[in-house]
Amino acid sequence: MGSTSDKISGKANEIAGKTKQAVGKATDDREMQAKGAVQEAKGKGQVATGKVKDKLKGAVDRL
């Protein structure tokens, strides 16, 4: 995946994860809350990966 698609997928996972957590909290569903937290963390990782790819590409382009 490219850096932009990593960041887009990451943001989508973050939003979906936060939504799952909110629904889980509202319905007192701890399993859904946990799944939401995992999905949100996955999204944050994807966004970070995209940012690292951008920085690496920028460093390589300057060589």
Side-chain angles (χ1 to χ4, degrees), residues 10-11 13-14 18 39-49:
K11 283 296 179 184
N13 274 319
E14 282 186 55
K18 287 179 182 181
Q39 189 169 4
E40 182 181 359
K42 176 184 174 183
K44 288 181 179 184
Q46 287 173 312
V47 170
T49 298

Side-chain angles (χ1 to χ4, degrees), residues 4 8 11 19 22 25 40 43 45-46 49-50 57:
T4 301
I8 291 169
K11 283 296 179 184
T19 302
K25 187 173 184 178
E40 182 181 359
Q46 287 173 312
T49 298
K57 184 180 181 317

Side-chain angles (χ1 to χ4, degrees), residues 2 11 18 25 27 29 31 33-34 36 38 40 48 53 58 63:
K11 283 296 179 184
K18 287 179 182 181
K25 187 173 184 178
T27 61
D29 184 343
E31 184 177 350
Q33 285 178 304
V38 168
E40 182 181 359
K53 285 181 181 179
L63 293 177

